[in-house]
Amino acid sequence: MSKRLTFFSKYRYFIFLSFISLFVMNHTHASFHGPISVMGDHTHKKDEWMLSYRYMNMNMDGLKSGNNNLSRADIFNAGYMIAPLDMTMEMHMLGLMYAPNDSVTLMLMLPYIKKEMQLVTSPMKMGMVPANKRFETVSEGMGDLSLTALVNVFESSQHNHHLHLNLGVSLPTGSIDERDDTFMQNNIKLPYAMQLGSGTVDFKPGITYSGNTISGPTYSWGAQLSGVLRFGKNDNGYRLGNELQLNTWFAKHWADWIDTSIRLSGKWWGDVHGNDNDVKKMQHMIPTADNNNYGGKVFDIGLGLNFHPKTIMAGNRFAVELSKPIYQNLNGPQMTSDWTVTAGWQWAF
Ligand SMILES: [Cu+2]
């Protein structure tokens, strides 16, 4: 496990900034944002800044291969000695946006990640491995830093249709050398799913459309197609699979300070190319150590609630979204996604 940043120091920063922002008058005009789980959904006008904090809690539970749910017994019958039971990933994400001019907005995002996986050994004792032994592995630390230029390419004359490009790069600031102690061996290398970064410089292109009604009841909507393209191999001899994601959303604005949103998304991603030799040694013992047991497709539905208060709190937005998969097809055996919560605070100034 890498060094811990105490949660107190993180929250202290967040609380301090929230408090300060209460007293800052704001001249930023309201714009329509996508759900909080969508990154790079909006651009800013010249000289606007935005600071944001997101908390994400993603849960995985059970296993699938293709469309089929697998039981724990299926894993052991396939010859594995250890089955993953469930996994939680918590992410604290700091974001900073700045628009040097009306055409380009720069965005920086730095995640801090904690992953916890619960596992269990086979009900049959095998050699050194005790039967039905439950244990946990944990990894924690900085994830990959991403830098993105959001470039406006079209805005309708009424300013209600907007299109921009997302030109992002992700730098390998996240560790790919996370280890933890287990009952079998101390300081064992953790599988790909438990690492904090990709280990490669990745390109993150995307295109985002957003629109809103001009008069009458207010609705807003949007769509974003984005990808993660990875090249070469990282220092441990592998690269994660490429990703493609389509997000679409629709929001109803009940008043000028509150809206609710629905989001539908589809994500496709590939398996791991190459192997970390320390991990490959365990590929017949535990499904997560096999580079073929990665990749698949997931369709999600997300419901969001957004507050954007006026007067002295103007410029702030508080948002929460709960999402759940409605369909998943995984190269397996692989852990299946369950629900995800994303909560965030954005402050434009
Ligand atoms: Cu922003």
Side-chain angles (χ1 to χ4, degrees):
M1 271 185 32
S2 53
K3 66 181 183 318
R4 278 168 192 276
L5 199 74
T6 67
F7 283 115
F8 175 70
S9 64
K10 274 216 165 290
Y11 286 124
R12 183 176 57 185
Y13 188 52
F14 174 58
I15 291 162
F16 172 73
L17 286 168
S18 312
F19 189 69
I20 293 290
S21 67
L22 277 170
F23 298 97
V24 176
M25 284 299 284
N26 203 285
H27 51 83
T28 308
H29 70 94
S31 61
F32 295 101
H33 290 202
I36 191 71
S37 60
V38 181
M39 312 292 162
D41 60 308
H42 65 275
T43 59
H44 286 275
K45 296 276 179 239
K46 183 175 163 42
D47 288 334
E48 278 179 11
W49 287 83
M50 177 181 272
L51 190 62
S52 64
Y53 167 80
R54 280 182 180 80
Y55 171 76
M56 265 167 271
N57 193 313
M58 296 168 211
N59 290 273
M60 277 167 256
D61 199 1
L63 294 130
K64 253 186 202 295
S65 185
N67 286 322
N68 303 319
N69 291 315
L70 299 180
S71 69
R72 219 187 293 177
D74 294 331
I75 300 299
F76 299 127
N77 290 339
Y80 293 107
M81 280 188 262
I82 297 167
L85 294 173
D86 54 73
M87 179 172 167
T88 316
M89 171 164 135
E90 280 184 287
M91 188 164 11
H92 301 272
M93 178 114 89
L94 273 180
L96 187 66
M97 294 174 88
Y98 169 67
N101 56 56
D102 283 347
S103 333
V104 177
T105 299
L106 303 173
M107 181 171 79
L108 178 154
M109 308 216 87
L110 182 63
Y112 184 85
I113 300 169
K114 183 175 186 185
K115 294 181 174 184
E116 290 171 282
M117 190 185 278
Q118 315 290 328
L119 307 107
V120 67
T121 64
S122 161
M124 295 220 314
K125 185 179 185 306
M126 285 195 265
M128 304 270 290
V129 183
N132 287 314
K133 166 94 176 160
R134 280 177 181 256
F135 65 105
E136 181 187 62
T137 56
V138 181
S139 58
E140 183 173 3
M142 287 300 162
D144 290 338
L145 172 74
S146 75
L147 302 166
T148 307
L150 308 168
V151 181
N152 290 328
V153 290
F154 172 77
E155 187 158 84
S156 63
S157 54
Q158 303 256 49
H159 307 292
N160 64 322
H161 295 288
H162 177 97
L163 192 70
H164 69 257
L165 299 177
N166 303 53
L167 305 173
V169 63
S170 163
L171 304 176
T173 52
S175 161
I176 54 167
D177 293 302
E178 290 300 300
R179 293 170 174 270
D180 201 0
D181 296 340
T182 67
F183 68 92
M184 290 190 299
Q185 188 187 324
N186 283 342
N187 206 32
I188 197 167
K189 177 75 74 70
L190 296 174
Y192 313 105
M194 289 295 289
Q195 297 299 330
L196 303 171
S198 69
T200 47
V201 173
D202 304 323
F203 295 93
K204 301 175 87 177
I207 184 164
T208 309
Y209 160 76
S210 58
N212 59 268
T213 47
I214 302 168
S215 58
T218 310
Y219 299 102
S220 62
W221 55 84
Q224 181 184 69
L225 184 66
S226 61
V228 184
L229 301 174
R230 313 176 197 272
F231 299 94
K233 296 271 166 74
N234 62 27
D235 290 345
N236 291 348
Y238 68 92
R239 72 165 184 271
L240 300 178
N242 292 336
E243 298 178 18
L244 179 70
Q245 186 164 17
L246 177 66
N247 265 303
T248 57
W249 63 90
F250 186 85
K252 179 171 168 59
H253 299 253
W254 303 91
D256 60 0
W257 58 275
I258 185 170
D259 69 88
T260 49
S261 64
I262 181 165
R263 178 177 64 92
L264 291 171
S265 85
K267 183 180 169 182
W268 296 259
W269 74 107
D271 59 4
V272 176
H273 297 248
N275 280 287
D276 180 325
N277 286 330
D278 293 339
V279 175
K280 192 180 163 76
K281 283 187 283 193
M282 301 178 285
Q283 69 177 340
H284 300 298
M285 245 166 100
I286 174 167
T288 50
D290 186 334
N291 64 352
N292 293 308
N293 295 335
Y294 285 82
K297 45 182 179 269
V298 175
F299 294 89
D300 282 329
I301 184 166
L303 297 174
L305 180 61
N306 305 294
F307 297 99
H308 17 94
K310 300 294 154 188
T311 68
I312 61 162
M313 293 270 289
N316 284 271
R317 174 175 179 250
F318 300 92
V320 61
E321 189 195 56
L322 180 65
S323 73
K324 220 177 150 48
I326 45 181
Y327 172 81
Q328 31 191 336
N329 188 313
L330 305 173
N331 302 336
Q334 189 181 149
M335 295 196 78
T336 51
S337 303
D338 197 359
W339 52 270
T340 297
V341 171
T342 309
W345 165 70
Q346 292 169 313
W347 174 34
F349 54 100

